[in-house]
Amino acid sequence: MWRYLPELLAVPVPRYTSYPTAAEFGDAGEDDFLAELDNATGDVSLYVHIPYCHEICWYCGCNTGAANRQKRLAAYLEALTAEIAHVGHLLPRSARVRHIAFGGGSPNAIAPHEFVRLVNTLTVAFSLADPTLSVELDPRSLTEPWREVLAHVGVTRASLGVQTFDPAIQQAIGRVQPIELIERAVDMLRDAGVTSLNFDLMYGLPGQDLDTLHSTLDQAARMGADRIALFGLAHLPAMFPRQRRIDCSTLPGAFERFRMMEEGHDRLLDLGYQPVGFDHFALPGDPLARAALSGHLHRNFQGFTDDAAPVTIGLGASAISNFPRGIFQNEKNAGAYRELIAAGRQPTARGVARDANDQKRRAVITGILCQGRAAVDEDMLRSASPRLADFFAEGLCTLIDGELVLAPDALPYARGIAACFDRHRADSQRNFSNAV
Ligand code: SF4
């Protein structure tokens, strides 16, 4: 049983899908991005962002808008196609693309033939090395033509936004999708050749309790999800005004959320899943479970991953590119993004350089979150010690032969322990969600 230590969970902490985090992004721009691109070699991954959805869910914290105007969608795709061609032209041919991920928003907010056109553009622009294709999908707009297209282009990994199967909770978060609709989506994806299927699920939802959480997890397992990401709802209505439609009086409290995280974890292990990092689970045999077991798990902007590429190039509005020495984000606003592309500019809007010290800290933070252990030198330990003291005192981590090792019950505290090595978090903890 996990120990509930509210004082160690009280401070909001980053999810560390990058280090430094997006909160540190500043002036690094177009020229810095182009210099990193010019140096890229070896394995590269691509992330293509579609910032539109047919229906906007009330809890959503993503950069997405309504896909209700065809002209706007067409203009966005035209800009995205131009960016793909431009970046592909600049990337050295020695860089080989092994993963392409489509995310959003909902990539299936665009027409299926537009998706094929995007894949064709990527094929022409980049040096592809039989890449693994993955797509985030909204089951509410997954149609038969989409099934055909996914099969045609060879998508093998898909992620469905499910969140909960409970009809009353679906109403409360503005995302109604009957169980039959999800079953149909699963059948279509399997038929299309998807071999690794993820369900995004949530705890901490309005009106949710342990029983409704359990039945959602059981249902997800019955449907054969290969992977499950179980996230806590990040309710930040000041940052995301659309969340104001959620009735806060029905949200579970901090202790209930903690128990949901624990019970969810235990239930999924009982159902045969292996834990992956602090919020992912995968069936044995899935590439993500294999990566976790073999110590080859990584973390990027999409969460825990088996993708080991040192470079990810983000394409589209708000997409983030990651290089060993820097992180860059494209202009977030889709209209401003289109204008930059139309002016022949690279749409990089902000970013942060990663120096040798950042690289060391990044290795420690990633090790803690992905493997539950990380080698730490004296300097690193000294700078983290004041904040680490309480975690040591509670026995949540210990030092063994120069490695910081997390205790088996330290999972809910992993982000808090990792944050002790974040040199930017000493003063400000704002703009992050709770650790649980
Ligand atoms: S489908 Fe996903 S990205 Fe779109 S509004 Fe809902 S949660 Fe946000």
Side-chain angles (χ1 to χ4, degrees):
M1 192 163 177
W2 295 348
R3 284 171 295 150
Y4 182 56
L5 302 166
E7 63 284 3
L8 294 184
L9 297 168
V11 179
V13 279
R15 299 187 62 76
Y16 290 113
T17 53
S18 74
Y19 182 78
T21 72
E24 275 65 64
F25 288 2
D27 285 340
E30 198 173 341
D31 292 344
D32 302 307
F33 171 85
L34 293 174
E36 290 300 326
L37 192 66
D38 195 40
N39 281 328
T41 186
D43 288 354
V44 164
S45 296
L46 303 179
Y47 172 78
V48 184
H49 192 71
I50 309 290
Y52 297 102
C53 296
H54 283 302
E55 295 175 66
I56 304 295
C57 315
W58 301 349
Y59 61 87
C60 179
C62 297
N63 176 43
T64 192
N68 52 3
R69 287 179 25 213
Q70 280 314 309
K71 259 174 93 172
R72 189 168 62 167
L73 238 63
Y76 179 76
L77 290 174
E78 190 184 333
L80 180 58
T81 301
E83 189 195 6
I84 290 171
H86 181 62
V87 172
H89 175 70
L90 295 176
L91 185 70
R93 295 313 276 182
S94 58
R96 312 268 291 163
V97 174
R98 298 197 182 276
H99 279 86
I100 305 177
F102 296 85
S106 304
N108 59 325
I110 65 174
H113 72 272
E114 296 288 10
F115 184 73
V116 176
R117 198 173 290 171
L118 271 184
V119 174
N120 288 343
T121 306
L122 290 162
T123 306
V124 172
F126 290 96
S127 176
L128 303 188
D130 192 19
T132 302
L133 300 185
S134 64
V135 191
E136 292 172 14
L137 295 163
D138 183 341
R140 296 169 295 180
S141 40
L142 191 59
T143 56
E144 178 56 25
W146 262 100
R147 185 200 64 74
E148 288 169 19
V149 156
L150 295 172
H152 172 70
V153 303
V155 167
T156 55
R157 297 185 183 184
S159 178
L160 283 179
V162 175
Q163 319 312 349
T164 176
F165 287 103
D166 187 273
I169 301 174
Q170 288 185 358
Q171 291 277 358
I173 58 172
R175 183 170 191 149
V176 175
Q177 40 188 30
I179 196 164
E180 299 75 23
L181 183 143
I182 310 282
E183 280 171 339
R184 186 170 156 270
V186 170
D187 289 345
M188 277 201 271
L189 292 173
R190 294 301 191 193
D191 198 34
V194 168
T195 53
S196 183
L197 177 59
N198 177 74
F199 280 8
D200 277 351
L201 302 177
M202 275 187 169
Y203 68 85
L205 294 172
Q208 194 178 34
D209 58 18
L210 288 177
D211 286 343
T212 47
L213 176 64
H214 283 168
S215 38
T216 283
L217 299 177
D218 293 352
Q219 183 61 47
R222 270 198 298 276
M223 286 187 182
D226 302 288
R227 302 179 183 185
I228 290 173
L230 181 59
F231 301 121
L233 170 69
H235 188 63
L236 302 164
M239 273 177 80
F240 307 111
R242 59 175 74 120
Q243 293 188 347
R244 291 188 196 135
R245 299 183 72 179
I246 292 177
D247 178 0
C248 332
S249 69
T250 59
L251 291 173
F255 179 67
E256 289 167 283
R257 284 174 63 98
F258 184 86
R259 284 286 161 248
M260 283 183 187
M261 182 186 180
E262 180 182 25
E263 293 268 340
H265 173 273
D266 292 352
R267 188 72 158 209
L268 286 169
L269 266 53
D270 286 348
L271 289 165
Y273 289 85
Q274 289 179 7
V276 177
F278 56 82
D279 57 8
H280 284 44
F281 303 83
L283 289 176
D286 185 272
L288 196 63
R290 288 207 302 269
L293 271 183
S294 63
H296 293 98
L297 188 64
H298 300 272
R299 187 142 175 86
N300 65 17
F301 290 101
Q302 293 154 278
F304 291 103
T305 176
D306 59 323
D307 180 1
V311 171
T312 299
I313 299 171
L315 300 155
S318 82
I320 297 177
S321 298
N322 178 55
F323 298 90
R325 289 179 306 169
I327 313 170
F328 304 90
Q329 183 168 33
N330 277 356
E331 168 58 48
K332 279 186 179 181
N333 179 282
Y337 163 82
R338 287 198 327 257
E339 282 170 23
L340 284 168
I341 297 280
R345 300 265 311 277
Q346 164 59 35
T348 309
R350 56 193 201 130
V352 62
R354 203 187 260 135
D355 63 18
N357 186 277
D358 287 327
Q359 290 180 22
K360 244 166 78 174
R361 289 175 185 275
R362 179 194 186 202
V364 172
I365 288 170
T366 306
I368 289 170
L369 299 181
C370 293
Q371 277 83 43
R373 58 198 309 143
V376 285
D377 63 24
E378 297 257 319
D379 284 350
M380 195 69 75
L381 201 55
R382 199 174 309 115
S383 70
S385 280
R387 289 183 284 162
L388 263 183
D390 290 340
F391 296 101
F392 274 129
E394 290 292 349
L396 292 167
C397 54
T398 182
L399 268 179
I400 303 174
D401 297 334
E403 276 200 322
L404 184 86
V405 180
L406 268 59
D409 65 345
L411 209 58
Y413 305 95
R415 282 165 64 192
I417 294 170
C420 299
F421 293 91
D422 179 346
R423 70 188 166 103
H424 304 282
R425 293 284 79 72
D427 304 321
S428 168
Q429 309 288 348
R430 288 174 301 151
N431 291 331
F432 300 108
S433 58
N434 290 331
V436 166

